Amino acid sequence: MLGGRLAAALGAARDGAAGIESFAHLLGSRRVGPRGVALALPEVCEGCAALLAALGSLSAAVRDGFVEAGDAAAADAACAALDHASVEVARLTDELSRAGAAPGRSAPRGAGRGERGGPERGIDARQRLALEASVRRAARELSGSLRLSELVMATLDLRPTPLDLIDVLRNWSAVAADGRPVVAISVTSSDGRANEVDGDVRAVSGLLELAVGMVSAAGVASPHLSVSRLADGRSTVRIAERSARDAAPAVALDVVVRDGGERAVAVARVVARRARIDLAEGTGGRAVTMTF
């Protein structure tokens, strides 16, 4: 189990990220007028300040947790993701502050509910669209960064169980997310027994998703995932372009590519090492092999 300090800091960071996500939805709602947005800005700015503090506390707790575990590299990988999140929140805070300080506009009397009484302070349509794009970017980056750090944190408390790799793959979400591409992956398995592995579902699922992101970032448009069994009884998963020699896909899935940058690669290496999963990267990152 995560320590109380780490769990509390993570909970606060999640709450702050949820607040930014909610503000993105508010900006996208045409039922909320300029006055509603203007009234929400100070509260969101306060929330960003609290979120920055929570991210700092979480980073310190993560660092201390992995110091106790004797794994500074794991702390570095998780904290790099959290540092990126802090930079995004600081950027958003600055934009929100400038939006809140922008000159107000006067609304005509009788223009509608919430606008009675004359002057109304708010942002115009162009500013609102720009602000919405900025908030959605921050929400997306926060979600990815927190997920990467949580994946590393999960290795402090690994819980191996019998897993079916095909079932793990089918549990992936195919719902498109803002700014995140959806790719089609094909899956083949030469031996049904190869699908059966022992591992922590968070680590295994996270690594599979990160590996797909890694090869996608390297330019593989439709990754092919093949599962096979080695002579020593271990299972191996290879993710790369499909070759003419590959068998016909047994499963076809559409999955969201959430991570594929340097921070994600660093996290994948750390998680694989701590979960005792051999991770090998092909030339140019266009292939990833995991052995369980």
Side-chain angles (χ1 to χ4, degrees):
M1 297 283 293
L2 291 177
R5 177 186 167 207
L6 192 57
L10 178 58
R14 284 173 175 166
D15 288 345
I20 290 178
E21 185 74 36
S22 295
F23 187 53
H25 291 311
L26 182 147
L27 286 167
S29 173
R30 296 304 169 247
R31 295 183 178 183
V32 180
R35 181 173 176 77
V37 173
L39 289 173
L41 278 172
E43 183 177 348
V44 179
C45 284
E46 290 179 7
C48 285
L51 176 54
L52 276 173
L55 289 170
S57 297
L58 180 57
S59 184
V62 166
R63 183 72 63 185
D64 290 346
F66 281 103
V67 164
E68 292 181 9
D71 196 339
D76 289 342
C79 289
L82 294 173
D83 289 345
H84 176 69
S86 294
V87 169
E88 277 297 309
V89 176
R91 176 196 63 77
L92 180 62
T93 302
D94 182 61
E95 291 195 21
L96 293 175
S97 297
R98 284 189 278 111
R105 292 177 176 269
S106 294
R109 290 181 182 273
R113 286 190 304 174
E115 299 178 342
R116 297 170 188 165
E120 177 188 82
R121 190 171 177 207
I123 60 175
D124 63 28
R126 182 179 298 179
Q127 290 172 315
R128 179 168 179 161
L129 286 173
L131 188 59
E132 181 183 352
S134 181
V135 173
R136 289 194 181 279
R137 168 188 158 181
R140 183 173 64 247
E141 294 297 324
L142 268 169
S143 174
S145 295
L146 282 176
R147 180 179 175 279
L148 288 176
S149 63
E150 286 183 65
L151 187 54
V152 179
M153 283 183 253
T155 66
L156 287 169
D157 181 31
L158 291 169
R159 307 170 195 172
T161 59
L163 300 174
D164 185 299
L165 290 172
I166 302 298
D167 286 343
V168 172
L169 292 170
R170 285 189 172 124
N171 285 333
W172 285 4
S173 170
V175 179
D178 290 338
R180 301 189 191 280
V182 176
V183 300
I185 66 170
S186 57
V187 183
T188 59
S189 178
S190 61
D191 181 347
R193 294 174 302 166
N195 303 335
E196 301 169 0
V197 301
D198 286 332
D200 182 284
V201 67
R202 298 163 298 175
V204 173
S205 177
L207 277 174
L208 288 171
E209 290 192 39
L210 289 177
V212 169
M214 288 161 66
V215 299
S216 296
V220 178
S222 298
H224 177 69
L225 188 152
S226 57
V227 185
S228 57
R229 199 169 184 86
L230 300 178
D232 61 9
R234 293 184 299 166
S235 295
T236 184
V237 173
R238 185 174 187 272
I239 303 172
E241 284 186 300
R242 188 181 176 205
S243 70
R245 295 173 299 176
D246 289 321
V251 178
L253 300 169
D254 289 334
V255 301
V256 175
V257 178
R258 295 193 281 189
D259 306 289
E262 293 181 5
R263 287 180 296 274
V265 173
V267 165
R269 291 169 179 164
V270 163
V271 172
R273 173 174 56 78
R274 290 184 60 82
R276 297 182 180 178
I277 298 171
D278 292 338
L279 179 72
E281 302 163 53
T283 304
R286 295 179 63 85
V288 174
T289 303
M290 291 174 287
T291 305
F292 299 84

